[in-house]
Amino acid sequence: MRLKNEVAIITGAASGIGQAVSAQMAKEGAKIVLVDLNSCEKTIDLLGDAEYLECLGDIRDPEFVKAVVNRTIEKFEEIHILVNNAGTASRLDLEDMTLEMWDRDLDTNLKAAFLFTQAVVYPYMKEAEYGRIINISSVSGINGGVVSGDEKNGRSGPAYAASKGGIIALTKWVAKELGKYNITCNSVAPGATTTAITAGVAYDTSNQVIDRMGEPNDIANAVLYFATKEAGYTTSQVLKVDGGISIG
């Protein structure tokens, strides 16, 4: 049990990648803090005997983020792992992109990751001189978006790509800043993965080395490595889990 008695905060835990990460970390002995706007009942059913805390609210709200961290400390006394996973993805192209959609994606995908990172590090991870921060980015933040079958709005939009590119930059900055406290910060960049965000979108995976959609557990396996003590000499990395679409 590689995460025995460690405390992990996971955003977007109600479904998809967040649900898979929560279940895998629970199997490895972690105590799980489930954060989402929606009920995490289905995820709770997958946690077995693991201790957990459910926190429902808007991760874009600084007061909610502080409340999650405070409740975590009150219940578990420590925070070892943070997984910034929750996200939204508009598919409007540049011409049709609205300021509302731009703000939604940037606030959910990037601002919330900043808020949670700041809140768990100062003072908790810093004082403990230990921490594992894993940010879910996307190959869209590297290559500008995975093309799907919809000619007009097939790619995730510019707001999503910009937010995920920002997550990668934030990951590198935080890794440089916090390494001296034995806190690592890494990112996992999924390709087309079967989640709520990709529901109803047809992807042609025939141009991938591995000709299939990714599954949430594919991403969770990578997250789990970065969360372990064994990954203590690995930081500032962006691990593409994308079936080989980014090879070129």
Side-chain angles (χ1 to χ4, degrees), residues 90-106:
S90 59
R91 294 186 179 276
L92 299 174
D93 61 19
L94 184 62
E95 181 178 8
D96 298 325
M97 175 58 62
T98 65
L99 184 58
E100 179 183 8
M101 286 293 99
W102 177 270
D103 287 345
R104 186 197 70 166
D105 285 359
L106 267 292

Side-chain angles (χ1 to χ4, degrees), residues 84 105-106 109-111 113-114 117 133-146 159-177 184-191 226 235-242 246:
N84 288 308
D105 285 359
L106 267 292
N109 302 345
L110 184 56
K111 174 185 170 183
F114 155 71
T117 299
I133 300 169
I134 304 102
N135 297 321
I136 304 301
S137 53
S138 169
V139 294
S140 292
I142 300 170
N143 63 18
V146 178
Y160 181 78
S163 68
K164 293 302 186 177
I167 279 287
I168 291 171
L170 179 65
T171 297
K172 295 175 182 291
W173 195 98
V174 169
K176 288 182 178 181
E177 179 73 7
T184 64
C185 186
N186 292 286
S187 179
V188 176
F226 285 136
T235 196
S236 188
Q237 298 304 302
V238 181
L239 178 56
K240 292 177 282 187
V241 185
D242 64 356
S246 298

Side-chain angles (χ1 to χ4, degrees), residues 104-163:
R104 186 197 70 166
D105 285 359
L106 267 292
D107 286 353
T108 306
N109 302 345
L110 184 56
K111 174 185 170 183
F114 155 71
L115 292 173
F116 268 101
T117 299
Q118 186 181 58
V120 302
V121 170
Y122 305 104
Y124 305 108
M125 287 184 177
K126 180 182 176 183
E127 288 186 352
E129 294 190 345
Y130 183 84
R132 298 285 184 265
I133 300 169
I134 304 102
N135 297 321
I136 304 301
S137 53
S138 169
V139 294
S140 292
I142 300 170
N143 63 18
V146 178
V147 176
S148 73
D150 185 329
E151 183 177 345
K152 181 174 178 57
N153 292 320
R155 283 190 299 162
S156 50
Y160 181 78
S163 68

Side-chain angles (χ1 to χ4, degrees), residues 193-219:
T193 304
T194 304
T195 66
I197 283 179
T198 60
V201 181
Y203 288 90
D204 179 7
T205 61
S206 62
N207 59 342
Q208 294 181 180
V209 177
I210 300 172
D211 185 6
R212 67 171 176 85
M213 291 279 286
E215 296 295 334
N217 274 327
D218 293 319
I219 316 306

